[in-house]
Amino acid sequence: MPLMLRERVSDDIYVFTSSLYAQVTAGAIKTQDGVVVVDTLPFPQESRQLVSFAQRLHPRGIRHVILTHSHADHVFGSYLFPGSELVAHQRCRDMMQRYGEASLAQAKAQTPELAEVRLRLPTLLFEGELTLRIGGKTLLVMQSPGHSPDMVMVHAKEDKVLFASDAVMPVPYLVGGSLPDMLNSLRALGNMPLENIVQGHGPVLLRGEIGEALDSSILYLEKIDHLVKDHVVAGRRRAALNDIDIEKCGKSRVPLGGLVQRLHQANLLYLYDTLVTAEKAAQHV
Ligand SMILES: [Zn+2]
């Protein structure tokens, strides 16, 4: 079994990258008053490694766990932090309440390793944005919709590290979300003074890589938006979307063990369906 990757990206910040599921990430921020964890990983085996490492960082242990959004791969491990306040946007809790149990049951049916997982709902909720000041750290929790409507990012201001979650991935993933929102969210990141961006999946971005990574994702989204609109206008078949190659849209097919190609195909189908549905709705007005 490959070991989960653990990296220290600043004096007080550690990033964990799953070796079991799509290189999903989580983080631990050490403060003078205890530890704050960002996201909880899907597989208990790896979530436990995160818990035991983070607990040892400070005698007061893990004070808060911030969930970036409601998707399974970021929240399933939350039941392994019973003594910590579980912080999330109200919308994240709403979505977990609505879809969490069904998504967990479905995941358990496919993945025996999840048998023991229990859904734990967030306990400390906020709306809009949140500034958490704890033990000398300022953690700005900001909304960043696009990948999902409940998405937030965590900016560890003193460390200049942004936990961008799935707002930043090697290839943006839109299914269930919104392309215009994602473009706005990515464009808003351009001017932040950052040393690192922790992507929701894949490697940590270093300062020198951030600009290019954001630009290439913005270009990618603009390109697929364009191509799918042309496709619909020309009346081409949905299945023919498979011919739109990821590399023609400016992204490599290699990251996340090749998973990005599937994300890309799903993006195209999702955009197509969104456009066709909107067109039909317009005709019925
Ligand atoms: Zn994810």
Side-chain angles (χ1 to χ4, degrees):
M1 225 272 308
L3 271 180
M4 177 164 68
L5 176 69
R6 187 185 76 225
E7 293 168 272
R8 187 175 194 173
V9 299
S10 74
D11 282 352
D12 296 322
I13 296 187
Y14 298 82
V15 174
F16 304 80
T17 307
S18 172
S19 63
L20 297 175
Y21 183 80
Q23 295 174 36
V24 63
T25 61
I29 303 163
K30 182 184 170 188
T31 83
Q32 291 158 15
D33 205 16
V35 179
V36 178
V37 163
V38 180
D39 282 346
T40 61
L41 303 168
F43 283 93
Q45 192 182 347
E46 292 188 329
S47 304
R48 284 203 170 89
Q49 291 174 42
L50 165 63
V51 172
S52 67
F53 181 85
Q55 258 167 354
R56 285 198 305 270
L57 286 176
H58 195 282
R60 296 198 65 179
I62 304 164
R63 303 282 305 280
H64 302 277
V65 176
I66 303 173
L67 297 180
T68 60
H69 63 305
S70 58
H71 290 175
D73 49 337
H74 300 259
V75 307
F76 274 1
S78 302
Y79 74 105
L80 292 169
F81 299 80
S84 317
E85 200 79 70
L86 198 54
V87 184
H89 195 277
Q90 176 70 48
R91 206 173 277 161
C92 172
R93 186 187 156 107
D94 292 345
M95 288 180 72
M96 284 178 75
Q97 227 160 0
R98 202 172 317 151
Y99 308 113
E101 288 295 355
S103 126
L104 180 58
Q106 197 190 5
K108 282 184 180 182
Q110 290 162 357
T111 314
E113 293 90 331
L114 298 173
E116 62 165 270
V117 174
R118 284 172 287 109
L119 197 67
R120 182 179 173 216
L121 292 176
T123 50
L124 185 66
L125 303 170
F126 65 95
E127 292 189 65
E129 308 205 324
L130 170 76
T131 304
L132 187 62
R133 288 186 206 280
I134 172 170
K137 298 286 185 199
T138 312
L139 306 179
L140 304 168
V141 188
M142 302 168 293
Q143 285 178 280
S144 183
H147 171 79
S148 69
D150 61 336
M151 173 67 72
V152 299
M153 305 183 298
V154 181
H155 180 199
K157 212 173 161 194
E158 290 77 10
D159 298 80
K160 298 193 166 77
V161 173
L162 179 72
F163 289 90
S165 189
D166 293 0
V168 180
M169 288 171 60
V171 169
Y173 185 51
L174 289 169
V175 175
S178 145
L179 185 139
D181 285 353
M182 186 167 264
L183 274 174
N184 288 337
S185 292
L186 285 171
R187 287 184 181 127
L189 296 182
N191 297 319
M192 288 176 76
L194 297 172
E195 289 294 327
N196 297 107
I197 288 184
V198 181
Q199 305 188 91
H201 297 258
V204 174
L205 299 176
L206 309 176
R207 187 176 50 186
E209 301 170 325
I210 291 174
E212 197 196 322
L214 297 178
D215 286 348
S216 105
S217 285
I218 290 168
L219 285 174
Y220 168 80
L221 290 170
E222 289 171 345
K223 179 93 182 173
I224 61 171
D225 191 29
H226 216 80
L227 288 172
V228 175
K229 273 177 184 154
D230 285 353
H231 198 89
V232 172
V233 170
R236 287 199 284 275
R237 288 176 311 116
R238 188 177 185 270
L241 287 167
N242 283 324
D243 301 338
I244 302 179
D245 190 86
I246 188 169
E247 286 182 348
K248 287 216 182 79
C249 303
K251 286 287 190 185
S252 160
R253 59 181 74 247
V254 174
L256 304 183
L259 175 69
V260 290
Q261 289 182 76
R262 279 200 278 143
L263 304 183
H264 169 67
Q265 290 301 330
N267 284 338
L268 299 176
L269 295 172
Y270 179 71
L271 279 181
Y272 180 93
D273 293 342
T274 309
L275 283 170
V276 169
T277 309
E279 221 167 65
K280 275 189 192 144
Q283 282 164 4
H284 282 97
V285 170

